[in-house]
Amino acid sequence: MTETPSETLDAAVEEPKETENIEEAPAEIQPTVEEKESSEKPDTAKEAETKAVAAEKTAENEEEEHHEEQAEDLSHLSLPEILSLMETLINKEDAGAHFRKFNQLKEQANHLIHDQTEDLKSEFVAAGNPVELFSHQHPSQAKLSALLNIYREKNAEYHRKQEENHHINLEHRQRIIENLKNLYTNTQAGTNLFKAIREIKEEWKNAGQVAKSEFKLLNNNYFHHLNQFYQMLDMNKEYMEQEFAHNLEKRQHIIERAKELQQEPSVQKALNELQYLHKLWKEEAEPVAEEFREKTWDEFKEISNKIHDRKSELTEQIEKEQNDNLVRKNEIIAEIQKMAEATKEINHNYWQNAIKKVEALRSEFLRLGNVPRKVSNQNWNDFKEHLRNFNVKKNEFYKGLKNSQQTNLDEKLKLIASAKDNMLSEEWEVVVPLFKKLQEDWKKIGHVPRSMTNKVWDDFREACNTFFNNYREKNNTANDNWKENFKSKKLLLDELKEIGNEEGSVEKIEQIKSKWNNIGKVPREKITINTEFNKVLRDKLKLNKIHEYDLKEEGLSENQVTDKARKIKNQIADLEAEIVKMENNIGFFSNASRENPLLKATYQKIDDKKAQLESMKQSLHSILIGENQ
């Protein structure tokens, strides 16, 4: 596998074909829906209407310019969160309608994959490796490619359905135009024209979009026949008065709501609703009587301008927030830099604490909002640079620590070899001081790799115990009745072999183990009886489903108690590490709940091991306070 640059993932996602909402009239056609109130001055009325409509359209354009869509800030999201959002968009029925959002997520995913790959490359090179040998296949790359392929198919299907809907909407709107034409050419007696035209206008507004290529002609036809309808109504003063009064009432409601928006605490909310009010004004508040036309529009326009003037408040608020974010982000960068450049008390504990702190700082940095645009790139690059430096210094430390642990291991292995070479020697005057020196040297040597800690200690202790046991045996033979001890242990061993898993077996085992602990040494040539006893004991414990650390033993010496406690501590550490590993493995599943059939067995194992861990801790506590003896 070779490194894949982010450009290979930038597969183009086709943008949906542009359509026009039929609700907006083209600039070429100005629907003249008002009645000629004065036959002596028709041109003056028409001219006033044209100026009013033009003024309103200019303001509408200004309104739209104030609400340009801005790209959402995705910098606080992690790569798995980005991919999850992309998957959510794909699962929407109208996935193709969200192409801008999907492309933004795709670009952010590519950006994160590229940055993470570059970080790994930097660490690889910092470790002393040639850059040309670096190869890395990002684990999320395959999923991203799959999401892109699926979205292309969804997008194509969305376009196909959109074209079908455009065709259906086109036929629907053509029928509406035909109904409008019949309304003023073939009106039957008794028809409620007010209700009929309202229904046609409402149906037209809700009829859906058509292809852009069909929009202009279709819209022109609609407003042509709408104008023809209103011209037919020129003589119907009563209807026109109702129409004007109805629209004037709507305008007044819109103006009152606009006045309330001047007091809205959220400037952005006020601007968004003002945009909606302009849309209502254009679509549902036309026309009104000429004496109210410019008056109402001027009032609405003046309120709109005052609301737009508040945009400076929003700008100041955004600038303050961005500056505050910049200050905090710079503080985070400085803290990370300080931890990476520390020179005193640098050890394993320091780096473990530093790793936790940096992870918390990194999460906080990504959660914070935007900073001023002019320093955004520099701030982000500084953060990545110092974060990368921290990781390099951390890796260098552990690389050196690994080397020093290997050196310590080599030194301890030499001590073990020396102990084994002399453990059977009986030149007491020379070898006793030697073993004491070996033990002192052992304490001075630092840590070894964890995987070897128990093994090297057991080997060294066994060699030392063998020597000192031999030394004590040779010097205390007169006081030891080893042969009798062997006979007693042989009887206990035979008794242990006869135990099954019936009721009271555990108590018998505890009694035998306590008696065994109270028996002294056996002849060297018979020492294998201890190994045989331990093997039979493990089998009986397994048969009775009980752990050795749960046995209540009596007659243990101080050294035996210490040794038993140390064994349980080591078992606890191994069991904790195993539980952590299993829980980390579960974290790689997107659905990590207990209801997942694939994970039920794993969760059960974790629960069993946690129960065993708690039992071991209780046994260790009992030993330490002397209750298990």
Tab-separated table of all heavy atoms in Angstrom, residues 462 486 489 493 496-497 513 516 522-539 548:
chain	number	residue	atom	x	y	z
A	462	GLU	N	14.243	-17.240	42.124
A	462	GLU	CA	14.411	-18.687	42.233
A	462	GLU	C	15.879	-19.049	42.460
A	462	GLU	O	16.203	-19.909	43.304
A	462	GLU	CB	13.886	-19.369	40.965
A	462	GLU	CG	13.999	-20.885	41.012
A	462	GLU	CD	13.487	-21.544	39.738
A	462	GLU	OE1	13.019	-20.821	38.828
A	462	GLU	OE2	13.577	-22.778	39.648
A	486	PHE	N	8.748	-35.104	54.784
A	486	PHE	CA	8.375	-35.690	53.490
A	486	PHE	C	7.227	-36.682	53.671
A	486	PHE	O	6.272	-36.715	52.886
A	486	PHE	CB	9.586	-36.371	52.860
A	486	PHE	CG	9.237	-37.110	51.601
A	486	PHE	CD1	8.994	-36.429	50.412
A	486	PHE	CD2	9.111	-38.505	51.599
A	486	PHE	CE1	8.653	-37.116	49.252
A	486	PHE	CE2	8.767	-39.190	50.435
A	486	PHE	CZ	8.545	-38.496	49.266
A	489	LYS	N	4.035	-34.769	54.225
A	489	LYS	CA	3.547	-34.152	52.984
A	489	LYS	C	3.006	-35.208	52.024
A	489	LYS	O	2.030	-34.958	51.292
A	489	LYS	CB	4.672	-33.366	52.317
A	489	LYS	CG	4.983	-32.051	53.021
A	489	LYS	CD	5.889	-31.163	52.180
A	489	LYS	CE	6.046	-29.772	52.815
A	489	LYS	NZ	6.851	-28.860	52.005
A	493	LEU	N	-0.634	-35.192	50.435
A	493	LEU	CA	-0.812	-35.255	48.985
A	493	LEU	C	-1.795	-36.356	48.621
A	493	LEU	O	-2.684	-36.157	47.771
A	493	LEU	CB	0.540	-35.486	48.307
A	493	LEU	CG	0.518	-35.655	46.785
A	493	LEU	CD1	-0.090	-34.424	46.105
A	493	LEU	CD2	1.915	-35.930	46.245
A	496	LEU	N	-5.222	-35.256	49.481
A	496	LEU	CA	-5.716	-34.262	48.521
A	496	LEU	C	-6.200	-34.918	47.234
A	496	LEU	O	-7.206	-34.513	46.646
A	496	LEU	CB	-4.611	-33.239	48.204
A	496	LEU	CG	-4.953	-32.142	47.214
A	496	LEU	CD1	-6.085	-31.252	47.757
A	496	LEU	CD2	-3.730	-31.274	46.903
A	497	LYS	N	-5.505	-35.974	46.815
A	497	LYS	CA	-5.885	-36.652	45.576
A	497	LYS	C	-7.257	-37.299	45.684
A	497	LYS	O	-7.948	-37.479	44.676
A	497	LYS	CB	-4.846	-37.713	45.231
A	497	LYS	CG	-3.506	-37.150	44.768
A	497	LYS	CD	-2.525	-38.267	44.444
A	497	LYS	CE	-1.191	-37.704	43.949
A	497	LYS	NZ	-0.200	-38.783	43.652
A	513	LYS	N	-4.158	-27.500	52.836
A	513	LYS	CA	-3.196	-26.472	52.438
A	513	LYS	C	-2.574	-25.828	53.675
A	513	LYS	O	-1.367	-25.552	53.714
A	513	LYS	CB	-3.898	-25.397	51.604
A	513	LYS	CG	-2.957	-24.348	51.001
A	513	LYS	CD	-2.063	-24.956	49.932
A	513	LYS	CE	-1.381	-23.885	49.104
A	513	LYS	NZ	-0.462	-23.053	49.858
A	516	TRP	N	-0.106	-28.211	55.127
A	516	TRP	CA	1.081	-28.253	54.242
A	516	TRP	C	2.002	-27.058	54.534
A	516	TRP	O	3.227	-27.195	54.564
A	516	TRP	CB	0.608	-28.233	52.794
A	516	TRP	CG	1.721	-28.387	51.784
A	516	TRP	CD1	2.537	-27.428	51.300
A	516	TRP	CD2	2.130	-29.603	51.160
A	516	TRP	NE1	3.433	-27.935	50.394
A	516	TRP	CE2	3.209	-29.278	50.296
A	516	TRP	CE3	1.708	-30.924	51.227
A	516	TRP	CZ2	3.854	-30.234	49.500
A	516	TRP	CZ3	2.342	-31.871	50.440
A	516	TRP	CH2	3.411	-31.527	49.605
A	522	VAL	N	11.761	-30.584	52.991
A	522	VAL	CA	11.953	-32.001	52.705
A	522	VAL	C	13.351	-32.169	52.111
A	522	VAL	O	13.970	-31.185	51.668
A	522	VAL	CB	10.888	-32.507	51.719
A	522	VAL	CG1	9.496	-32.364	52.315
A	522	VAL	CG2	10.971	-31.766	50.392
A	523	PRO	N	13.878	-33.393	52.079
A	523	PRO	CA	15.194	-33.605	51.468
A	523	PRO	C	15.215	-33.097	50.036
A	523	PRO	O	14.210	-33.141	49.324
A	523	PRO	CB	15.368	-35.126	51.540
A	523	PRO	CG	14.531	-35.541	52.696
A	523	PRO	CD	13.355	-34.624	52.697
A	524	ARG	N	16.390	-32.623	49.622
A	524	ARG	CA	16.507	-32.026	48.304
A	524	ARG	C	16.079	-32.977	47.199
A	524	ARG	O	15.432	-32.567	46.232
A	524	ARG	CB	17.945	-31.571	48.077
A	524	ARG	CG	18.142	-30.884	46.712
A	524	ARG	CD	19.573	-30.410	46.553
A	524	ARG	NE	19.887	-29.461	47.601
A	524	ARG	CZ	21.126	-28.995	47.809
A	524	ARG	NH1	22.119	-29.407	47.048
A	524	ARG	NH2	21.359	-28.131	48.786
A	525	GLU	N	16.406	-34.240	47.350
A	525	GLU	CA	16.069	-35.194	46.304
A	525	GLU	C	14.558	-35.479	46.248
A	525	GLU	O	14.061	-36.077	45.292
A	525	GLU	CB	16.832	-36.506	46.506
A	525	GLU	CG	16.493	-37.261	47.793
A	525	GLU	CD	17.323	-36.808	48.981
A	525	GLU	OE1	17.999	-35.748	48.863
A	525	GLU	OE2	17.326	-37.497	49.992
A	526	LYS	N	13.817	-35.039	47.309
A	526	LYS	CA	12.371	-35.241	47.346
A	526	LYS	C	11.589	-33.948	47.096
A	526	LYS	O	10.367	-33.918	47.237
A	526	LYS	CB	11.958	-35.794	48.719
A	526	LYS	CG	12.645	-37.104	49.109
A	526	LYS	CD	12.180	-38.256	48.241
A	526	LYS	CE	12.749	-39.585	48.747
A	526	LYS	NZ	12.300	-40.739	47.919
A	527	ILE	N	12.289	-32.907	46.713
A	527	ILE	CA	11.640	-31.580	46.618
A	527	ILE	C	10.570	-31.513	45.536
A	527	ILE	O	9.712	-30.638	45.539
A	527	ILE	CB	12.727	-30.503	46.382
A	527	ILE	CG1	12.166	-29.126	46.784
A	527	ILE	CG2	13.188	-30.502	44.936
A	527	ILE	CD1	13.218	-28.053	46.808
A	528	THR	N	10.599	-32.490	44.619
A	528	THR	CA	9.584	-32.476	43.539
A	528	THR	C	8.177	-32.709	44.073
A	528	THR	O	7.191	-32.480	43.362
A	528	THR	CB	9.910	-33.556	42.505
A	528	THR	OG1	10.033	-34.819	43.166
A	528	THR	CG2	11.194	-33.227	41.764
A	529	ILE	N	8.076	-33.150	45.333
A	529	ILE	CA	6.738	-33.358	45.896
A	529	ILE	C	5.968	-32.040	45.981
A	529	ILE	O	4.737	-32.016	45.889
A	529	ILE	CB	6.845	-34.023	47.291
A	529	ILE	CG1	5.444	-34.541	47.709
A	529	ILE	CG2	7.401	-33.049	48.329
A	529	ILE	CD1	5.457	-35.347	48.985
A	530	ASN	N	6.707	-30.945	46.141
A	530	ASN	CA	6.049	-29.625	46.184
A	530	ASN	C	5.394	-29.312	44.845
A	530	ASN	O	4.271	-28.808	44.777
A	530	ASN	CB	7.061	-28.545	46.543
A	530	ASN	CG	7.583	-28.693	47.957
A	530	ASN	OD1	6.858	-29.125	48.855
A	530	ASN	ND2	8.857	-28.344	48.154
A	531	THR	N	6.118	-29.622	43.759
A	531	THR	CA	5.567	-29.382	42.416
A	531	THR	C	4.337	-30.240	42.178
A	531	THR	O	3.322	-29.772	41.640
A	531	THR	CB	6.630	-29.687	41.356
A	531	THR	OG1	7.782	-28.886	41.606
A	531	THR	CG2	6.107	-29.390	39.963
A	532	GLU	N	4.412	-31.517	42.595
A	532	GLU	CA	3.277	-32.429	42.406
A	532	GLU	C	2.071	-31.959	43.213
A	532	GLU	O	0.922	-31.983	42.726
A	532	GLU	CB	3.677	-33.842	42.828
A	532	GLU	CG	2.578	-34.871	42.559
A	532	GLU	CD	3.012	-36.283	42.960
A	532	GLU	OE1	4.152	-36.439	43.443
A	532	GLU	OE2	2.201	-37.207	42.780
A	533	PHE	N	2.332	-31.505	44.448
A	533	PHE	CA	1.235	-31.017	45.285
A	533	PHE	C	0.539	-29.814	44.632
A	533	PHE	O	-0.695	-29.735	44.606
A	533	PHE	CB	1.778	-30.641	46.662
A	533	PHE	CG	0.726	-30.074	47.581
A	533	PHE	CD1	-0.128	-30.907	48.300
A	533	PHE	CD2	0.564	-28.702	47.720
A	533	PHE	CE1	-1.104	-30.397	49.141
A	533	PHE	CE2	-0.409	-28.183	48.558
A	533	PHE	CZ	-1.248	-29.034	49.271
A	534	ASN	N	1.337	-28.887	44.131
A	534	ASN	CA	0.753	-27.684	43.495
A	534	ASN	C	-0.074	-28.040	42.272
A	534	ASN	O	-1.122	-27.442	42.011
A	534	ASN	CB	1.859	-26.708	43.113
A	534	ASN	CG	2.490	-26.052	44.323
A	534	ASN	OD1	1.839	-25.870	45.350
A	534	ASN	ND2	3.774	-25.712	44.222
A	535	LYS	N	0.375	-29.033	41.507
A	535	LYS	CA	-0.383	-29.447	40.318
A	535	LYS	C	-1.715	-30.068	40.722
A	535	LYS	O	-2.777	-29.731	40.153
A	535	LYS	CB	0.443	-30.450	39.510
A	535	LYS	CG	-0.247	-30.929	38.234
A	535	LYS	CD	0.626	-31.892	37.463
A	535	LYS	CE	-0.057	-32.316	36.163
A	535	LYS	NZ	-1.379	-32.914	36.373
A	536	VAL	N	-1.677	-30.981	41.706
A	536	VAL	CA	-2.930	-31.609	42.158
A	536	VAL	C	-3.854	-30.553	42.757
A	536	VAL	O	-5.076	-30.576	42.547
A	536	VAL	CB	-2.616	-32.713	43.188
A	536	VAL	CG1	-3.912	-33.293	43.768
A	536	VAL	CG2	-1.787	-33.829	42.553
A	537	LEU	N	-3.281	-29.591	43.503
A	537	LEU	CA	-4.091	-28.537	44.102
A	537	LEU	C	-4.820	-27.725	43.036
A	537	LEU	O	-6.010	-27.418	43.169
A	537	LEU	CB	-3.194	-27.619	44.945
A	537	LEU	CG	-3.892	-26.417	45.592
A	537	LEU	CD1	-4.940	-26.897	46.598
A	537	LEU	CD2	-2.872	-25.503	46.267
A	538	ARG	N	-4.121	-27.373	41.958
A	538	ARG	CA	-4.768	-26.605	40.872
A	538	ARG	C	-5.915	-27.385	40.253
A	538	ARG	O	-6.975	-26.819	39.939
A	538	ARG	CB	-3.734	-26.226	39.804
A	538	ARG	CG	-2.782	-25.113	40.222
A	538	ARG	CD	-2.027	-24.569	39.011
A	538	ARG	NE	-1.158	-25.581	38.408
A	538	ARG	CZ	0.113	-25.798	38.776
A	538	ARG	NH1	0.647	-25.061	39.747
A	538	ARG	NH2	0.830	-26.724	38.176
A	539	ASP	N	-5.728	-28.703	40.070
A	539	ASP	CA	-6.792	-29.527	39.488
A	539	ASP	C	-8.015	-29.575	40.396
A	539	ASP	O	-9.160	-29.489	39.931
A	539	ASP	CB	-6.276	-30.950	39.242
A	539	ASP	CG	-5.206	-31.007	38.163
A	539	ASP	OD1	-5.155	-30.059	37.341
A	539	ASP	OD2	-4.435	-31.982	38.136
A	548	GLU	N	-7.275	-20.093	43.712
A	548	GLU	CA	-6.344	-20.293	44.819
A	548	GLU	C	-6.321	-19.088	45.757
A	548	GLU	O	-6.180	-19.230	46.967
A	548	GLU	CB	-4.936	-20.573	44.292
A	548	GLU	CG	-3.929	-20.903	45.394
A	548	GLU	CD	-2.574	-21.284	44.842
A	548	GLU	OE1	-2.438	-21.280	43.600
A	548	GLU	OE2	-1.678	-21.573	45.632
